[in-house]
Each structure stands twice: as C-alpha cells, then as structure tokens.
C-alpha cells in the first residue's frame, strides 16, 4: 500500500472530518472565537481602513450577494464581502491570537458566512461550526511545521501565510469538495499566501486578513470547477516550505483514525482586552501594576515626578516604536501602550485616537522611556515577559512584571468578560436585538437550523449608527 503524501493527507482529512468528531471542548472554544471575531469585526466597521476597502469593493457587481456586517442596506459579491469583513476583524488588531503566532479566526469566519449566503441549500449552524474548525485546524497544523513559527515573526505576517490556507480548507469543507479537490484548493491558495511584515503598523496590515479570507474562498471555488495545483504543495520546500527556513511537514492523521485529535483541544487562543498587538498586553499590565505601586506610596501623586521609565521586553523590531505618529503604529508600540497606561491608568479603544496620540503629556512621557531586551526574555508569546520600572526625580523606583496577562491562553477570559467585550463592541453598531441575537445564535450554533440567522442579526444596525453612516460621520 502506497504511503499518502502530506498534501494528500490534508485533502483527505478536510473532506473526511465530520460533526460527530467535534468534542465539547472544541465546540466551546470555537464558539468563543466566533463570538469575539464578530464583535471586533462589527467595531472594525467604524475604522478608516474598512471604509476605504468598502468603497473599493462596491465597484464590483455580481448576481450573488453577501452581507456586509453592520450594514443593513449594503451587500457585495461574496468574495468582497469576505474581504471587507475580514479587514474589519483585523482593522484594530483586536482579534484573537493563537500559538504558534497567528490570528486564526478572521480569515475563516468572514469567508464562511459570505459563502453560506450564496449556497442553494443553506448550511446549518453545525455545518458552519465544523467548517470553521476545519479551517482553524489546518492553520494550526501548518504553523507547527516550523520551529521559527513559535517566535514573534520576523519576515511574513502569519495570517497571510496560513490564513488563506485555513479559508481554503474551511470553504472547501462547506462546499463539500472531494479529497482531491480539497488538496487542489490548498495548492491554489498557497499561490496567494504571504505578505511582508514591513506592512505591519500600517493600514495595509488588515488587508492581510481580508485577502486571506477572499483568496481562500476563491481557491476552493476554482478547485470545485476543476482547476488543479501541485498535488504535493505541502510536501515540498519549494512549495509551502518557501515561507519557513526550517520547514518540516508531517502528514495529517486520517479523520476516522484514533490518531486524530483537534489542536484546539490542547491549545486555547488568547482574547485581547485592548485593540493592539498581543505583546502590548504584557507591557500594559506591567505598567498599570507599576503605577499602582507608585500611587500607593507617593504623596501628592503626579506623573511629573517620573524621571525615567525602563521597559524590559523581548526583542522584536516591528513592535519597538518609540514615537508613534498613527493609530496603527501606536498599536505596535511597547512605548506607547506603557505610557498610555501610566498616564490614564487604562488603555482603551479611544487611547488610539489621533487626539490621544498627539497629547503633549503623552509625548513628554514617551521621551523618558528606554527599552532593554534581556537575554532571558525570548520573542515568544508563550514564554515572554514584560517589566516596567519607574524612577522618580526623588530617587525612588517602582517596578512590576507581567508574565501572563489576563486573556492569554494560560489565563483565559471568563465567559462573562468575553460576552461583555462582544456586547460593548457590537453595541457600537447593532441595536440591542441584534447584539442579543448574535450572542444567542453563537451560543447555540450547533442547534441552529439555518446559519443565515447570523447574517440577519449582523444587519440589525442601530438607527443612530445608520444615521451617522448615511451622513458620512462614520
């Protein structure tokens, strides 16, 4: 009996996985991912980058139309609905993060919801849940083909590499493609993978998620029409291996075998409390703790008493931004997030507004910051730490360290706090019926008969939001 190639094993697994294999743990974790993704995506429809992408996407027409989240009167061709909704998810860097490092949900869920609306037979919520987990699983498997991927990235933005593969796998599953077609969908998607990390901290970075969602769906649909790619795309260094210096792939266990186990069962995701790069959560919590120590001991507490602030963080050039000038740079700046926390005793969505970024008090505090990268602090979301040390003009020192922030996979958000985050984000766009409807639909997704119910709730905008949008205020 001939041994299956790696790509062939992936195609067989994507085709063969079924709903009976979804464990309670995987169902619960993936439902949390879906709810969080929809919340940050709805909030993201208020951003400048989303509006530019939407304006561009409205140039295209199609007989088949899919919903734009948070827009009751706007629909787009399915590929462009996936594109703009994916951009919305990552527009504020507020979406979930996995380990090895990637944002797993944003490339998959927008593609699935857009595609589902166009299918002649509406998939059930359970069908949607299975396809979502297939897309997440493929990303997790591919990330584990490289030790390099376990560190904070240096060359490629990970969702642009594995996200398009996850979208292709998920949409191939929803389309019911054959094992060979699933393999070809991955091969086709691989030719749309990859984006340079240099576009992090710019408006282009959210496009990485939008492109992954859109291109993965296109790959699956092309495979459905008979287009073929290299049947060994995952086996070769000159195939998917071009993205990693230490590529070492392995076959995916057959879905019906005892050897199959969902990666999500063992590796939870991180949910963000602030809309910024994941590394910012460590430095923010450390800064808040250092400020609390200073505030509790210094009489007539005042930040003007600070002479110097030292940050001890892992080495990573693209999140070392001493003087950010834009919201996207601020979301990738250890210095900005530490100083915002010290100045305001919090970091929120509004912290990244132009007015907040350009405050004289913030710029003065930023000028007092230096960064150190201790040798024992690796650039890994699983092993890193952040320390913040405040030195005063009076010679006092206040230091705090964060090893695991609240929301990390080792310290997950409670269900109450996750739902609260969704509600706050979604209510900026949806009416209360829409917010509650999405919460209920996702909470019971495995029992929902038609996945289209989600789309109907995602279009239930508040009258105030619609009025602001129609007048150009949003």
């Amino acid at each position: 009996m001939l041994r299956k190639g790696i790509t062939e094993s992936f195609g067989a697994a994507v085709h063969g996985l079924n709903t009976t294999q979804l464990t309670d743990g995987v169902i619960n974790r993936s439902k949390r991912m879906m709810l969080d993704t929809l919340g940050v995506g709805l909030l993201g429809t208020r951003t400048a980058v989303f509006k530019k992408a939407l304006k561009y996407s409205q140039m295209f027409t199609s007989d088949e139309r899919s919903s734009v989240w948070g827009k009751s009167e706007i629909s787009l061709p399915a590929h462009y609905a996936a594109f703009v909704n994916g951009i919305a998810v990552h527009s504020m860097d507020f979406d979930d993060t996995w380990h090895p490092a990637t944002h797993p949900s944003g490339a998959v869920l927008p593609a699935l919801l857009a595609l589902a609306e166009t299918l002649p037979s509406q998939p059930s919520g359970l069908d949607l849940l299975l396809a979502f987990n297939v897309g997440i699983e493929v990303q997790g498997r591919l990330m584990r083909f490289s030790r390099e991927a376990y560190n904070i990235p240096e060359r490629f933005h990970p969702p642009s590499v594995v996200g398009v593969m996850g979208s292709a796998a998920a949409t191939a599953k929803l389309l019911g493609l054959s094992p060979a077609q699933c393999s070809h969908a991955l091969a086709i998607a691989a030719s749309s993978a990859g984006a340079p990390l240099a576009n992090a901290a710019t408006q282009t970075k959210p496009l990485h998620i939008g492109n992954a969602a859109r291109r993965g769906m296109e790959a699956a649909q092309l495979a459905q029409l008979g287009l073929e790619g290299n049947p060994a795309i995952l086996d070769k260094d000159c195939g998917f291996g071009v993205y990693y210096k230490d590529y070492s792939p392995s076959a995916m266990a057959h879905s019906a075998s005892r050897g199959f186990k969902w990666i999500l069962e063992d590796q939870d995701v991180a949910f963000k409390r602030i809309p910024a790069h994941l590394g910012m959560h460590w430095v923010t919590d450390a800064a808040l703790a250092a400020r609390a120590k200073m505030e509790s001991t210094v009489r007539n507490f005042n930040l003007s008493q600070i002479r110097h602030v030292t940050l001890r963080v892992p080495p990573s050039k693209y999140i070392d931004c001493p003087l950010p000038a834009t919201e996207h740079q601020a979301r990738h700046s250890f210095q900005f997030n530490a100083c915002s926390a010290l100045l305001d005793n919090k970091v929120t969505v509004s912290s990244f507004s132009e007015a907040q970024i350009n405050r004289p008090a913030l710029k003065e505090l930023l000028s007092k910051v230096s960064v150190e990268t201790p040798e024992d602090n690796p650039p890994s979301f699983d092993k890193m730490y952040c320390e913040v040390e405040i030195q005063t003009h009076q010679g006092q020192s206040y230091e705090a360290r964060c090893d695991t922030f609240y929301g990390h996979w080792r310290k997950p958000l409670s269900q109450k706090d996750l739902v609260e985050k969704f509600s706050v984000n979604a209510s900026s766009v949806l009416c209360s019926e829409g917010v509650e409807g999405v919460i209920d639909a996702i909470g019971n997704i495995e029992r929902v008969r038609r996945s289209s119910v989600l789309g109907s709730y995602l279009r239930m905008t508040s009258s105030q939001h619609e009025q602001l949008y129609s007048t150009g205020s949003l």
Side-chain angles (χ1 to χ4, degrees):
M1 183 177 178
L2 292 175
R3 174 180 170 272
K4 280 187 178 179
I6 291 165
T7 311
E8 187 181 1
S9 75
F10 270 69
V14 169
H15 169 80
L17 283 163
N18 63 72
T19 56
T20 65
Q21 293 167 286
L22 291 171
T23 64
D24 289 343
V26 165
I27 289 173
N28 290 334
R29 284 181 172 175
S30 56
K31 288 198 295 189
R32 283 162 58 88
M33 294 164 72
M34 293 168 78
L35 185 67
D36 186 68
T37 300
L38 293 173
V40 299
L42 287 163
L43 182 66
T45 63
R46 303 175 65 183
T47 60
V49 62
F50 170 83
K51 294 169 195 173
K52 291 172 183 176
L54 180 60
K55 184 176 181 180
Y56 161 76
S57 297
Q58 286 178 293
M59 296 166 53
F60 301 91
T61 60
S62 169
D63 292 337
E64 294 180 338
R65 310 284 287 183
S66 298
S67 301
V68 177
W69 300 352
K71 299 286 181 278
S72 61
E73 302 299 325
I74 299 177
S75 62
L76 293 170
H79 305 103
Y80 288 97
F83 176 64
V84 298
N85 291 334
I87 287 171
V89 169
H90 197 57
S91 62
M92 303 174 78
D93 221 315
F94 213 177
D95 45 330
D96 57 21
T97 305
W98 214 8
H99 180 70
T102 194
H103 304 286
S105 300
V108 174
L109 190 57
L112 288 175
L113 290 179
L115 176 63
E117 289 189 63
T118 69
L119 296 178
S121 178
Q122 266 288 304
S124 68
L126 191 57
D127 295 330
L128 186 74
L129 188 66
L130 175 62
F132 178 80
N133 275 287
V134 167
I136 300 303
E137 182 72 16
V138 164
Q139 292 179 76
R141 300 267 174 172
L142 295 177
M143 293 297 293
R144 283 158 177 76
F145 288 175
S146 164
R147 295 306 306 175
E148 176 189 7
Y150 283 77
N151 294 326
I152 295 174
E154 296 181 353
R155 298 180 298 141
F156 296 104
H157 189 209
S160 74
V161 176
V162 297
V164 67
M165 308 297 282
S167 172
T171 51
K173 186 65 181 176
L174 204 61
L175 288 168
L177 300 193
S178 69
Q181 288 174 321
C182 290
S183 295
H184 286 304
L186 293 173
I188 298 164
S191 281
S192 293
L197 202 58
N199 267 328
T202 73
Q203 285 189 331
T204 296
K205 187 187 180 194
L207 269 65
H208 298 171
I209 297 286
N211 282 329
R214 170 190 168 194
R215 297 298 190 188
M217 186 201 303
E218 288 178 344
Q221 291 180 318
L222 287 167
Q224 186 181 38
L225 292 172
L227 191 73
E228 297 181 351
N230 191 313
I233 196 72
L234 302 182
D235 303 65
K236 297 175 175 290
D237 287 340
C238 62
F240 199 72
V242 299
Y243 299 108
Y244 301 107
K245 300 172 185 173
D246 59 346
Y247 188 63
S248 181
S250 57
M252 192 168 177
H254 192 279
S255 56
S257 74
R258 292 184 179 181
F260 181 83
K261 185 178 183 181
W262 300 95
I263 290 175
L264 191 59
E265 191 80 59
D266 293 326
Q267 178 60 64
D268 203 354
V269 301
F271 296 105
K272 298 180 177 180
R273 300 185 342 267
I274 60 173
H277 182 277
L278 194 71
M280 305 305 110
H281 291 67
W282 278 272
V283 80
T284 295
D285 282 9
L288 291 171
R291 176 192 158 115
K293 288 182 180 180
M294 180 178 173
E295 197 170 7
S296 66
T297 57
V298 174
R299 288 186 178 181
N300 303 317
F301 171 77
N302 192 308
L303 291 179
S304 65
Q305 297 165 320
I306 295 178
R307 179 181 65 83
H308 191 73
V309 178
T310 303
L311 310 181
R312 299 185 184 96
V313 298
S316 181
K317 292 180 181 178
Y318 87 102
I319 47 178
D320 179 4
C321 185
L323 297 171
T326 69
E327 62 167 302
H328 297 282
Q329 290 176 355
R331 298 183 200 282
H332 296 75
S333 168
F334 279 127
Q335 297 90 332
F336 175 87
N337 286 273
C339 288
S340 291
L342 292 173
L343 192 61
D344 304 324
N345 205 24
K346 61 183 179 180
V347 178
T348 66
V349 170
S350 62
S351 300
F352 300 91
S353 68
E354 185 178 354
Q356 294 293 90
I357 291 171
N358 291 318
R359 288 179 292 169
L362 179 64
K363 291 188 174 183
E364 180 183 355
L365 193 54
L366 283 167
S367 70
K368 300 177 180 180
V369 176
S370 64
V371 171
E372 297 177 359
T373 54
E375 290 186 3
D376 69 342
N377 198 0
S380 164
F381 291 140
D382 204 41
K383 299 176 181 178
M384 65 176 278
Y385 66 85
C386 287
E387 289 179 348
V388 175
E389 182 180 3
I390 302 170
Q391 294 175 316
T392 69
H393 290 289
Q394 292 75 31
Q396 297 160 310
S397 178
Y398 304 92
E399 185 175 337
R401 170 170 167 153
C402 177
D403 292 293
T404 305
F405 66 87
Y406 179 48
H408 190 275
W409 45 84
R410 288 193 300 268
K411 198 175 182 180
L413 287 184
S414 68
Q415 185 65 14
K416 178 182 176 182
D417 286 345
L418 186 82
V419 171
E420 175 65 18
K421 176 189 172 183
F422 169 82
S423 298
V424 170
N425 289 338
S427 62
S428 66
V429 177
L430 301 184
C431 65
S432 57
E433 183 182 355
V435 173
E436 293 303 318
V438 173
I439 293 172
D440 181 66
I442 293 296
N444 296 284
I445 192 68
E446 68 272 38
R447 293 180 287 276
V448 169
R449 293 182 64 183
R450 292 169 63 88
S451 60
S452 57
V453 69
L454 257 181
S456 64
Y457 289 127
L458 290 168
R459 292 191 297 272
M460 288 186 179
T461 53
S462 65
S463 57
Q464 181 183 18
H465 176 81
E466 285 292 327
Q467 184 177 7
L468 289 170
Y469 186 78
S470 64
T471 60
S473 300
L474 283 180

